[in-house]
Amino acid sequence: AMRLILVLGDQLTETLSALRHADPATDLVVMAEVMAEGRYVPHHPQKIALVLSAMRHFAQTLRGAGWRVAYSRLDDPDNSQSIPGELLRRAAATGATAVIATTPGEWRLIHALEATPLRVTLLPDDRFLCSASEFAAWAEGRKQLRMEFFYREMRRKTGLMMEGDSPAGGQWNFDHDNRKPAKPDLLRPRPPRFAPDAVTDEVLALVETRFPGHFGRLRPFGWGVTRADALAALDHFASHALPRFGDEQDAMLQDDPTLSHALISPYLNLGLLTPLEVCQRVSAEWQAGRVPVNAAEGFIRQIIGWREFVRGIYFLQGPDYTARNTLGHDRALPPLYWGANTKMNCLSRAVGQTGDMAYAHHIQRLMVTGNFALLAGVDPARVHEWYLAVYIDAFEWVEAPNTIGMSQWADGGVVGSKPYVSSGAYIDRMSDYCGGCAYRVKEKSGPDACPFNLLYWHFLTRHRDRFAGNPRMAQMYRTWDKMDAAHRTRVLAEGDAFLARLSAGDPV
Ligand code: FAD
Ligand code: SF4
């Protein structure tokens, strides 16, 4: 009998487990553009356009490969506008009662599929290197889950950059080489842009009319929407930007939003590229002597280490993960995150580029927007919704552990042993933001003092009971305690006043 084969918008891989288990002669592929997915957080228009256009292209690819595809367009009059609704509609039309799906990367959708009256088989998503059960076995009995140890297992498992049982270059991790600032360089290669084709143009017009008012610019739209585009983006990165990836990984420049980053996360997360092929390409560049070991190792660690690790955490921690709030933070998300004016140049730039291109690199997300939200005590659920909405690559399995865990420490240390907080000095060292800022990064108090300098100590003081005993933070408390008492009082009072202005919606 005919079965329905569900292919979601981030499952655009021809070797997807659901497709491998299906028979093109009898089964029907179901793909659906639905309002429910476009709106449950206010996604950036470029992200919606990317997903819809990539889905439409992928449906063509499947048809070309001999599949029958029932494709629901967003503006089809009969569209029920939800994934379970579309499955039910296709089931009623065809008489099918069984659905095969690859497990979605989000608890919300898993639960929605399980709740349909259809017989749904959820297959593991084996596009990842580490399965949920393998991760659970690795985590079993460990007091703390540390990415570094998980990563070494993944290196052994894949054999990437290994010489026998030892890591190539004699070290697992070359991160100490990857903490350099960068200088503006007009010759730095720019990531490729892909001109919209007719399918994308149609989608852009649709997004413009159906999702007005979402934060972010829709045009110019330059993301790749097919596997061929994604491979071209990978090739461009590996041939041009990769050699400097390591050195520039943590740097921020206000006129160069992408530096030597890969900009391939959306393609990986949609399934247009697989993690192993990306890492094999990077490893081959290193083997051929074209890129230094710190660049290749650092990059591969992000993919087979961090990316797989956070996915393992998401499924291990369970559906309530996004509601965690260990530090009890409850501030509303300040309007500056949606583009309201701020005098803080680093935030204004990071948010501005996010609106323009739906992209910011890791250190901008972690040490500018994330750091500020954590220091200011913003409710982590609101921070999570923001990151899920505004970035081109944001899907809950990867976004939530990065936001709730790594960035906001709301999971109480599952992802990170200590919170990622810093004063303005870190931002000043790693970027060129501070020179153009109305605040003075060197001033520790007073009307011109950089707000990060005030809030850093304010945060540490608020959470002293929790963190003073952490060996990796004890030094900061000792530094604070040695400061002049009057200075400490002033810093805390000015921090209070800054937060009060933030709450009142006054310009900051
Ligand atoms: P590069 O810097 O070139 O890195 C290469 C690849 O490594 C990326 O494409 C990505 O696939 C992988 N990678 C790197 N760091 C991580 C990480 N911490 N977790 C998982 N994969 C990683 N990444 C997402 O893919 N989706 C998200 O929704 C997302 N939300 C984030 C939220 C916060 C608060 C933070 C701090 C980080 C988040 N990240 C997220 C991780 C990281 O910032 C992005 O993967 C990266 O910026 C993507 O751009 P790139 O391809 O140029 O990456
Ligand atoms: Fe950001 Fe402070 Fe530097 Fe201004 S001075 S750019 S607020 S770190």
Side-chain angles (χ1 to χ4, degrees):
M2 174 195 277
R3 298 168 301 180
L4 303 179
I5 312 302
L6 178 66
V7 174
L8 295 167
D10 62 352
Q11 298 181 337
L12 309 181
T13 314
E14 280 193 82
T15 54
L16 190 73
S17 54
L19 291 167
R20 292 205 318 274
H21 282 76
D23 181 353
T26 49
D27 296 333
L28 179 67
V29 173
V30 174
M31 295 181 71
E33 307 174 358
V34 294
M35 271 327 247
E37 298 304 310
R39 264 201 186 140
Y40 77 99
V41 293
H43 298 288
H44 195 295
Q46 288 183 38
K47 179 184 176 190
I48 303 177
L50 169 67
V51 174
L52 298 187
S53 178
M55 284 175 72
R56 290 182 181 194
H57 283 92
F58 188 70
Q60 286 178 0
T61 303
L62 289 180
R63 288 190 180 114
W67 293 94
R68 281 185 303 148
V69 182
Y71 192 96
S72 313
R73 287 173 166 244
L74 195 75
D75 44 6
D76 283 348
D78 312 342
N79 190 328
S80 64
Q81 304 296 352
S82 80
I83 298 288
E86 286 306 276
L87 282 173
L88 288 171
R89 189 160 75 87
R90 300 300 180 186
T94 59
T97 55
V99 177
I100 299 183
T102 293
T103 308
E106 194 171 349
W107 289 110
R108 181 183 61 88
L109 269 176
I110 294 176
H111 294 153
L113 291 182
E114 286 171 347
T116 67
L118 301 163
R119 265 186 302 124
V120 180
T121 306
L122 291 181
L123 300 169
D125 189 344
D126 53 16
R127 295 175 299 170
F128 293 87
L129 299 168
C130 179
S131 70
S133 54
E134 206 180 333
F135 190 84
W138 173 79
E140 177 82 43
R142 284 175 198 262
K143 258 176 58 203
Q144 280 202 320
L145 305 181
R146 287 296 154 253
M147 195 288 294
E148 185 61 29
F149 298 114
F150 170 79
Y151 165 56
R152 293 178 191 177
E153 294 299 312
M154 290 295 113
R155 286 276 292 279
R156 292 194 183 96
K157 179 176 172 174
T158 57
L160 285 162
M161 295 185 79
M162 294 295 288
E163 287 159 357
D165 290 337
S166 315
Q171 270 167 241
W172 290 106
N173 181 319
F174 291 83
D175 221 10
H176 59 85
D177 296 337
N178 295 353
R179 293 181 182 147
K180 302 186 181 105
K183 289 210 169 57
D185 178 355
L186 291 175
L187 300 178
R188 191 180 281 108
R190 301 273 157 227
R193 297 184 62 81
F194 299 87
D197 64 4
V199 173
T200 301
D201 273 335
E202 200 183 348
V203 165
L204 293 176
L206 177 73
V207 172
E208 221 147 41
T209 49
R210 296 303 290 270
F211 302 94
H214 286 203
F215 168 78
R217 279 169 68 165
L218 176 60
R219 298 171 201 267
F221 180 92
W223 296 100
V225 291
T226 63
R227 174 155 167 83
D229 293 347
L231 284 169
L234 170 62
D235 185 61
H236 186 277
F237 166 68
S239 320
H240 301 294
L242 177 61
R244 284 155 75 161
F245 173 81
D247 291 348
E248 299 188 339
Q249 196 180 351
D250 286 2
M252 298 175 280
L253 290 179
Q254 61 179 29
D255 293 324
D256 191 340
T258 56
L259 282 157
S260 294
H261 290 276
L263 280 86
I264 59 163
S265 49
Y267 311 131
L268 277 166
N269 296 350
L270 291 181
L272 298 175
L273 294 175
T274 67
L276 198 55
E277 73 183 335
V278 167
C279 292
Q280 280 165 344
R281 173 66 202 271
V282 166
S283 168
E285 290 295 315
W286 165 75
Q287 262 161 342
R290 287 193 288 264
V291 306
V293 67
N294 68 310
E297 185 283 318
F299 184 83
I300 285 173
R301 174 159 28 91
Q302 305 311 312
I303 307 246
I304 68 170
W306 278 113
R307 186 168 183 272
E308 298 282 332
F309 180 74
V310 299
R311 180 167 183 273
I313 297 274
Y314 179 76
F315 283 110
L316 192 66
Q317 291 291 311
D320 77 329
Y321 188 73
T322 54
R324 307 264 171 98
N325 188 357
T326 300
L327 298 176
H329 283 169
D330 60 4
R331 182 177 306 282
L333 190 71
L336 69 89
Y337 282 81
W338 301 112
N341 274 340
T342 170
K343 292 191 291 171
M344 293 180 278
N345 191 41
C346 53
L347 277 160
S348 160
R349 297 284 180 161
V351 172
Q353 100 174 48
T354 299
D356 287 348
M357 54 192 299
Y359 176 85
H361 67 68
H362 189 68
I363 293 301
Q364 296 171 313
R365 298 187 205 191
L366 187 63
M367 299 311 291
V368 179
T369 44
N371 184 17
F372 185 77
L374 178 56
L375 293 179
V378 177
D379 182 345
R382 301 290 90 77
V383 183
H384 152 64
E385 284 161 5
W386 185 78
Y387 281 100
L388 188 59
V390 302
Y391 287 113
I392 193 80
D393 53 20
F395 297 87
E396 196 175 277
W397 64 267
V398 51
E399 176 279 328
N402 271 297
T403 304
I404 297 286
M406 188 188 304
S407 169
Q408 300 300 298
W409 212 81
D411 66 1
V414 176
V415 172
S417 55
K418 79 181 197 22
Y420 280 96
V421 285
S422 80
S423 67
Y426 174 87
I427 296 174
D428 190 31
R429 184 163 70 249
M430 297 311 298
S431 80
D432 61 358
Y433 291 137
C434 299
C437 187
Y439 293 104
R440 302 264 70 94
V441 72
K442 298 260 170 352
E443 298 197 9
K444 314 290 184 212
S445 66
D448 295 334
C450 165
F452 284 85
N453 292 345
L454 304 173
L455 295 183
Y456 177 69
W457 297 116
H458 199 273
F459 172 89
L460 289 179
T461 302
R462 290 196 317 264
H463 296 297
R464 183 167 194 131
D465 288 351
R466 187 179 296 277
F467 294 128
N470 182 327
R472 296 181 60 199
M473 298 177 75
Q475 179 57 41
M476 298 322 300
Y477 285 97
R478 278 197 293 277
T479 303
W480 173 244
D481 291 341
K482 272 190 241 147
M483 289 180 198
D484 169 62
H487 175 71
R488 280 182 283 154
T489 308
R490 190 160 60 236
V491 167
L492 294 179
E494 289 178 8
D496 281 339
F498 180 87
L499 291 175
R501 288 204 302 283
L502 200 62
S503 295
D506 295 345
V508 287

PDB file of all heavy atoms in Angstrom, residues 344-347 424 427 433-434 437 439-441 450-452, ligand 2:
ATOM      1  N   MET A 344      25.801  51.851  21.927  1.00  0.00           N
ATOM      2  CA  MET A 344      26.840  50.816  22.031  1.00  0.00           C
ATOM      3  C   MET A 344      27.165  50.319  20.632  1.00  0.00           C
ATOM      4  O   MET A 344      26.376  49.630  20.008  1.00  0.00           O
ATOM      5  CB  MET A 344      26.356  49.669  22.927  1.00  0.00           C
ATOM      6  CG  MET A 344      26.195  50.078  24.378  1.00  0.00           C
ATOM      7  SD  MET A 344      25.612  48.717  25.421  1.00  0.00           S
ATOM      8  CE  MET A 344      23.858  48.782  25.100  1.00  0.00           C
ATOM      9  N   ASN A 345      28.332  50.687  20.139  1.00  0.00           N
ATOM     10  CA  ASN A 345      28.654  50.399  18.733  1.00  0.00           C
ATOM     11  C   ASN A 345      28.703  48.902  18.448  1.00  0.00           C
ATOM     12  O   ASN A 345      28.247  48.457  17.401  1.00  0.00           O
ATOM     13  CB  ASN A 345      29.994  51.059  18.382  1.00  0.00           C
ATOM     14  CG  ASN A 345      30.267  51.033  16.892  1.00  0.00           C
ATOM     15  OD1 ASN A 345      29.365  51.259  16.085  1.00  0.00           O
ATOM     16  ND2 ASN A 345      31.499  50.738  16.522  1.00  0.00           N
ATOM     17  N   CYS A 346      29.250  48.124  19.378  1.00  0.00           N
ATOM     18  CA  CYS A 346      29.372  46.683  19.111  1.00  0.00           C
ATOM     19  C   CYS A 346      27.987  46.068  18.912  1.00  0.00           C
ATOM     20  O   CYS A 346      27.767  45.290  17.973  1.00  0.00           O
ATOM     21  CB  CYS A 346      30.125  45.988  20.241  1.00  0.00           C
ATOM     22  SG  CYS A 346      29.470  46.290  21.891  1.00  0.00           S
ATOM     23  N   LEU A 347      27.041  46.418  19.771  1.00  0.00           N
ATOM     24  CA  LEU A 347      25.691  45.855  19.653  1.00  0.00           C
ATOM     25  C   LEU A 347      24.981  46.385  18.419  1.00  0.00           C
ATOM     26  O   LEU A 347      24.310  45.637  17.701  1.00  0.00           O
ATOM     27  CB  LEU A 347      24.880  46.169  20.914  1.00  0.00           C
ATOM     28  CG  LEU A 347      25.150  45.178  22.050  1.00  0.00           C
ATOM     29  CD1 LEU A 347      24.745  45.776  23.379  1.00  0.00           C
ATOM     30  CD2 LEU A 347      24.425  43.863  21.822  1.00  0.00           C
ATOM     31  N   GLY A 424      34.253  45.093  28.625  1.00  0.00           N
ATOM     32  CA  GLY A 424      34.553  45.662  27.312  1.00  0.00           C
ATOM     33  C   GLY A 424      35.959  45.322  26.823  1.00  0.00           C
ATOM     34  O   GLY A 424      36.216  45.338  25.621  1.00  0.00           O
ATOM     35  N   ILE A 427      36.093  42.674  24.098  1.00  0.00           N
ATOM     36  CA  ILE A 427      35.572  43.145  22.811  1.00  0.00           C
ATOM     37  C   ILE A 427      36.579  44.088  22.159  1.00  0.00           C
ATOM     38  O   ILE A 427      36.838  44.015  20.952  1.00  0.00           O
ATOM     39  CB  ILE A 427      34.194  43.817  23.007  1.00  0.00           C
ATOM     40  CG1 ILE A 427      33.184  42.763  23.503  1.00  0.00           C
ATOM     41  CG2 ILE A 427      33.698  44.489  21.718  1.00  0.00           C
ATOM     42  CD1 ILE A 427      31.823  43.304  23.884  1.00  0.00           C
ATOM     43  N   TYR A 433      35.445  47.696  17.160  1.00  0.00           N
ATOM     44  CA  TYR A 433      34.191  48.383  17.477  1.00  0.00           C
ATOM     45  C   TYR A 433      34.400  49.604  18.388  1.00  0.00           C
ATOM     46  O   TYR A 433      33.677  50.595  18.284  1.00  0.00           O
ATOM     47  CB  TYR A 433      33.234  47.439  18.204  1.00  0.00           C
ATOM     48  CG  TYR A 433      32.663  46.309  17.373  1.00  0.00           C
ATOM     49  CD1 TYR A 433      32.575  45.025  17.914  1.00  0.00           C
ATOM     50  CD2 TYR A 433      32.185  46.525  16.083  1.00  0.00           C
ATOM     51  CE1 TYR A 433      32.031  43.972  17.180  1.00  0.00           C
ATOM     52  CE2 TYR A 433      31.648  45.478  15.346  1.00  0.00           C
ATOM     53  CZ  TYR A 433      31.566  44.209  15.897  1.00  0.00           C
ATOM     54  OH  TYR A 433      31.029  43.177  15.183  1.00  0.00           O
ATOM     55  N   CYS A 434      35.297  49.480  19.350  1.00  0.00           N
ATOM     56  CA  CYS A 434      35.322  50.467  20.441  1.00  0.00           C
ATOM     57  C   CYS A 434      35.779  51.853  19.983  1.00  0.00           C
ATOM     58  O   CYS A 434      35.326  52.858  20.533  1.00  0.00           O
ATOM     59  CB  CYS A 434      36.195  49.968  21.590  1.00  0.00           C
ATOM     60  SG  CYS A 434      35.567  48.413  22.289  1.00  0.00           S
ATOM     61  N   CYS A 437      32.857  54.085  19.162  1.00  0.00           N
ATOM     62  CA  CYS A 437      31.737  54.007  20.109  1.00  0.00           C
ATOM     63  C   CYS A 437      31.605  55.281  20.928  1.00  0.00           C
ATOM     64  O   CYS A 437      32.603  55.929  21.247  1.00  0.00           O
ATOM     65  CB  CYS A 437      31.964  52.819  21.051  1.00  0.00           C
ATOM     66  SG  CYS A 437      30.560  52.497  22.146  1.00  0.00           S
ATOM     67  N   TYR A 439      30.682  55.306  23.962  1.00  0.00           N
ATOM     68  CA  TYR A 439      31.210  54.956  25.284  1.00  0.00           C
ATOM     69  C   TYR A 439      32.725  54.764  25.196  1.00  0.00           C
ATOM     70  O   TYR A 439      33.281  54.522  24.124  1.00  0.00           O
ATOM     71  CB  TYR A 439      30.560  53.671  25.799  1.00  0.00           C
ATOM     72  CG  TYR A 439      29.085  53.803  26.102  1.00  0.00           C
ATOM     73  CD1 TYR A 439      28.134  53.267  25.236  1.00  0.00           C
ATOM     74  CD2 TYR A 439      28.650  54.468  27.253  1.00  0.00           C
ATOM     75  CE1 TYR A 439      26.776  53.375  25.507  1.00  0.00           C
ATOM     76  CE2 TYR A 439      27.295  54.588  27.538  1.00  0.00           C
ATOM     77  CZ  TYR A 439      26.361  54.039  26.657  1.00  0.00           C
ATOM     78  OH  TYR A 439      25.022  54.148  26.937  1.00  0.00           O
ATOM     79  N   ARG A 440      33.375  54.853  26.346  1.00  0.00           N
ATOM     80  CA  ARG A 440      34.828  54.689  26.403  1.00  0.00           C
ATOM     81  C   ARG A 440      35.144  53.350  27.067  1.00  0.00           C
ATOM     82  O   ARG A 440      34.834  53.138  28.238  1.00  0.00           O
ATOM     83  CB  ARG A 440      35.486  55.816  27.198  1.00  0.00           C
ATOM     84  CG  ARG A 440      35.223  57.224  26.695  1.00  0.00           C
ATOM     85  CD  ARG A 440      36.338  57.738  25.784  1.00  0.00           C
ATOM     86  NE  ARG A 440      36.361  57.038  24.505  1.00  0.00           N
ATOM     87  CZ  ARG A 440      35.739  57.449  23.380  1.00  0.00           C
ATOM     88  NH1 ARG A 440      35.047  58.557  23.358  1.00  0.00           N
ATOM     89  NH2 ARG A 440      35.829  56.742  22.277  1.00  0.00           N
ATOM     90  N   VAL A 441      35.790  52.481  26.305  1.00  0.00           N
ATOM     91  CA  VAL A 441      36.032  51.131  26.810  1.00  0.00           C
ATOM     92  C   VAL A 441      37.029  51.134  27.965  1.00  0.00           C
ATOM     93  O   VAL A 441      36.989  50.266  28.844  1.00  0.00           O
ATOM     94  CB  VAL A 441      36.467  50.191  25.660  1.00  0.00           C
ATOM     95  CG1 VAL A 441      37.884  50.510  25.187  1.00  0.00           C
ATOM     96  CG2 VAL A 441      36.329  48.730  26.073  1.00  0.00           C
ATOM     97  N   CYS A 450      32.086  52.223  29.434  1.00  0.00           N
ATOM     98  CA  CYS A 450      31.485  51.158  28.630  1.00  0.00           C
ATOM     99  C   CYS A 450      30.527  50.344  29.503  1.00  0.00           C
ATOM    100  O   CYS A 450      30.911  49.860  30.563  1.00  0.00           O
ATOM    101  CB  CYS A 450      32.608  50.268  28.095  1.00  0.00           C
ATOM    102  SG  CYS A 450      32.020  48.691  27.456  1.00  0.00           S
ATOM    103  N   PRO A 451      29.266  50.184  29.069  1.00  0.00           N
ATOM    104  CA  PRO A 451      28.290  49.452  29.882  1.00  0.00           C
ATOM    105  C   PRO A 451      28.729  48.023  30.213  1.00  0.00           C
ATOM    106  O   PRO A 451      28.388  47.500  31.279  1.00  0.00           O
ATOM    107  CB  PRO A 451      27.030  49.450  29.010  1.00  0.00           C
ATOM    108  CG  PRO A 451      27.167  50.649  28.141  1.00  0.00           C
ATOM    109  CD  PRO A 451      28.632  50.800  27.878  1.00  0.00           C
ATOM    110  N   PHE A 452      29.495  47.399  29.319  1.00  0.00           N
ATOM    111  CA  PHE A 452      29.974  46.040  29.623  1.00  0.00           C
ATOM    112  C   PHE A 452      30.861  46.057  30.873  1.00  0.00           C
ATOM    113  O   PHE A 452      30.870  45.094  31.643  1.00  0.00           O
ATOM    114  CB  PHE A 452      30.770  45.462  28.444  1.00  0.00           C
ATOM    115  CG  PHE A 452      29.902  45.002  27.285  1.00  0.00           C
ATOM    116  CD1 PHE A 452      29.492  45.904  26.312  1.00  0.00           C
ATOM    117  CD2 PHE A 452      29.509  43.676  27.166  1.00  0.00           C
ATOM    118  CE1 PHE A 452      28.703  45.485  25.246  1.00  0.00           C
ATOM    119  CE2 PHE A 452      28.717  43.244  26.104  1.00  0.00           C
ATOM    120  CZ  PHE A 452      28.307  44.165  25.139  1.00  0.00           C
TER     121      PHE A 452
HETATM  122 FE1  SF4 B   2      30.908  47.863  22.941  1.00  0.00          FE
HETATM  123 FE2  SF4 B   2      31.859  49.035  25.164  1.00  0.00          FE
HETATM  124 FE3  SF4 B   2      33.394  48.860  22.988  1.00  0.00          FE
HETATM  125 FE4  SF4 B   2      31.281  50.504  23.019  1.00  0.00          FE
HETATM  126  S1  SF4 B   2      33.109  50.677  24.298  1.00  0.00           S
HETATM  127  S2  SF4 B   2      31.890  49.123  21.361  1.00  0.00           S
HETATM  128  S3  SF4 B   2      29.826  49.335  24.264  1.00  0.00           S
HETATM  129  S4  SF4 B   2      32.622  47.159  24.218  1.00  0.00           S
END
